[in-house]
Amino acid sequence: MKSKSIHIELPSWLQKYLIDVPEFFVTREERMRFAIGLSRKNIEYGTGGPFAAAVFDDNNGKLIAVGVNLVTSAGLSIAHAEMIALMQAQLILGCFDLGGTGMPRCELVTTTAPCAMCLGAIPWSGIRSLVCGARDEDARIFGFDEGSKRTDWISELEIRGINVVCDVLQDEAAAVIKDYNSKGGVLYNGRCETK
């Protein structure tokens, strides 16, 4: 077996896109609208699925890190927007525990409620607040496999001290998934055939 290095390349358009964004996003709606914009650009540039996420300092709205879905471009099933945003935040802040001593109160804003994998990563990352746009069913209706999640996943996160806010600009976030589907976007669930 020959081992390979793991390297996830962020899309080149992303750095250019971030040049003109404000440093602070005061309201949750502003934060979600920013994430929705990222998901639209991800479709436009063909660099992944219709999902995006961003990590903010919940105290002042400062943008810390962003992530877009890179499953198809990176060829990695775990390259979901939330995972990319969390990894970026941890690298930028220099700590695997975003809830650790001296860390800002980190909020993850994601355009769609987290799938089972991303849901598992949220408490381990140290995130203190989660804001979701579209719902699970908004992704599932177009065939995305969101995995098995407990029906009480929100209260499970809240028990762990993670504040959860759902349905922020839900219709706008769901419209991106619908747009991706109508343009014939790749449905990248597991068990795909390779050529």
Side-chain angles (χ1 to χ4, degrees), residues 79-107:
H80 287 203
E82 297 93 333
M83 303 298 277
I84 301 298
L86 292 172
M87 288 188 289
Q88 285 292 309
Q90 290 165 341
L91 289 170
I92 288 166
L93 295 175
C95 187
F96 65 87
D97 182 2
L98 298 176
T101 304
M103 292 289 112
R105 181 177 165 78
C106 290
E107 175 179 79

Side-chain angles (χ1 to χ4, degrees), residues 116 119 136 147-156 159:
L119 180 61
D136 271 1
S148 299
K149 289 171 35 177
R150 293 175 57 134
T151 55
D152 61 346
W153 66 270
I154 293 172
S155 61
E156 288 294 317
I159 287 168

Side-chain angles (χ1 to χ4, degrees), residues 167-186:
D167 299 337
V168 176
L169 303 179
Q170 179 198 356
D171 292 340
E172 289 179 41
V176 179
I177 304 168
K178 183 177 181 180
D179 185 45
Y180 179 79
N181 182 67
S182 70
K183 291 178 177 173
V186 176

Side-chain angles (χ1 to χ4, degrees), residues 75 189-195:
N189 295 331
R191 297 160 308 282
C192 66
E193 292 182 28
T194 56
K195 296 183 179 184

Side-chain angles (χ1 to χ4, degrees), residues 122-159:
I122 289 168
W124 290 335
S125 70
I127 286 291
R128 305 314 318 143
S129 179
L130 171 67
V131 178
C132 307
R135 298 177 181 176
D136 271 1
E137 54 265 30
D138 295 321
R140 290 180 196 272
I141 197 168
F142 294 110
F144 283 101
D145 183 357
E146 297 297 284
S148 299
K149 289 171 35 177
R150 293 175 57 134
T151 55
D152 61 346
W153 66 270
I154 293 172
S155 61
E156 288 294 317
L157 288 180
E158 290 175 339
I159 287 168

Side-chain angles (χ1 to χ4, degrees), residues 19-142:
I19 291 171
D20 294 326
V21 302
E23 186 177 357
F24 297 92
F25 294 79
V26 179
T27 68
R28 289 203 164 114
E29 289 76 15
E30 289 173 334
R31 297 171 198 178
M32 182 60 71
R33 195 158 280 117
F34 169 71
I36 291 170
L38 288 172
S39 65
R40 287 200 178 282
K41 287 290 183 188
N42 207 38
I43 294 172
E44 180 183 324
Y45 285 98
T47 47
F51 308 104
V55 175
F56 297 89
D57 180 333
D58 195 24
N59 294 316
N60 59 18
K62 182 177 181 178
L63 176 62
I64 296 171
V66 299
V68 292
N69 180 284
L70 300 173
V71 170
T72 57
S73 60
L76 299 168
S77 63
I78 64 165
H80 287 203
E82 297 93 333
M83 303 298 277
I84 301 298
L86 292 172
M87 288 188 289
Q88 285 292 309
Q90 290 165 341
L91 289 170
I92 288 166
L93 295 175
C95 187
F96 65 87
D97 182 2
L98 298 176
T101 304
M103 292 289 112
R105 181 177 165 78
C106 290
E107 175 179 79
L108 176 66
V109 174
T110 181
T111 58
T112 304
C115 70
M117 174 183 65
C118 296
L119 180 61
I122 289 168
W124 290 335
S125 70
I127 286 291
R128 305 314 318 143
S129 179
L130 171 67
V131 178
C132 307
R135 298 177 181 176
D136 271 1
E137 54 265 30
D138 295 321
R140 290 180 196 272
I141 197 168
F142 294 110

